[in-house]
């Protein structure tokens, strides 16, 4: 076991190369196949929102939220209309609101679980 060569007191904080190797977690994203049911979570400043959507070839799917998540988003955005998967970056969701914004409010998806076919 070798010690990582770091200047100053950081060497004690970070530990050995073996310690660091154990802490690295690689998240493998499951592929979204058209028709798959995908459960997601994203975090806002006042709570975690949960929902699901059905993957499609077109993209920009609407996310069906649970009641608690709808309440959270209505507290943040009184003119909240819905949530959609970002059309170009599927790691993000867009919050649709009835007021004029320069762009839509967005949140990074915290977790994504592909549960299989929606059929």
């Amino acid at each position: 076991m070798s010690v990582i060569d770091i200047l100053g007191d950081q060497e004690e904080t970070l530990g050995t190369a073996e310690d660091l190797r154990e802490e690295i977690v690689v998240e493998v994203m499951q592929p979204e196949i058209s028709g798959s049911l995908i459960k997601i979570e994203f975090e806002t400043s006042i709570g975690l929102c949960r929902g699901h959507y059905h993957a499609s070839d077109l993209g920009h799917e609407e996310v069906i939220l649970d009641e608690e998540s709808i309440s959270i988003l209505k507290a943040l955005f009184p003119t909240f209309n819905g949530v959609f998967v970002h059309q170009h970056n599927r790691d993000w969701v867009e919050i649709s609101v009835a007021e004029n914004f320069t762009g839509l409010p967005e949140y990074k998806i915290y977790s994504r679980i592909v549960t299989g076919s929606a059929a």
Side-chain angles (χ1 to χ4, degrees):
M1 199 181 296
S2 60
V3 175
I4 297 174
D5 185 32
I6 298 174
L7 298 174
D9 296 331
Q10 291 180 348
E11 184 173 334
E12 293 174 13
T13 304
L14 292 176
T16 63
E18 190 65 31
D19 295 335
L20 290 176
R21 188 176 10 259
E22 292 173 6
E23 293 179 19
I24 295 173
V25 177
V26 177
E27 181 181 326
V28 178
M29 186 173 150
Q30 294 174 296
E32 290 184 7
I33 300 168
S34 184
S36 295
L37 176 68
I38 292 87
K39 296 180 181 181
I40 64 166
E41 295 178 330
F42 58 94
E43 191 168 7
T44 69
S45 59
I46 60 173
L48 194 64
C49 293
R50 294 177 180 85
H52 67 277
Y53 64 93
H54 298 282
S56 74
D57 293 331
L58 300 175
H60 208 245
E61 299 90 346
E62 183 172 6
V63 177
I64 292 102
L65 298 169
D66 61 22
E67 290 298 320
E68 185 178 335
S69 300
I70 292 171
S71 297
I72 288 171
L73 291 174
K74 283 186 176 182
L76 285 169
F77 307 102
T79 59
F80 162 76
N81 283 332
V83 175
F84 297 87
V85 177
H86 193 283
Q87 192 164 8
H88 302 293
N89 186 348
R90 299 188 65 79
D91 289 333
W92 291 78
V93 293
E94 296 176 328
I95 310 302
S96 174
V97 292
E99 30 186 86
N100 289 333
F101 271 97
T102 312
L104 296 173
E106 299 177 335
Y107 290 96
K108 184 161 178 52
I109 295 175
Y110 176 73
S111 75
R112 172 186 280 115
I113 300 170
V114 179
T115 61
S117 176

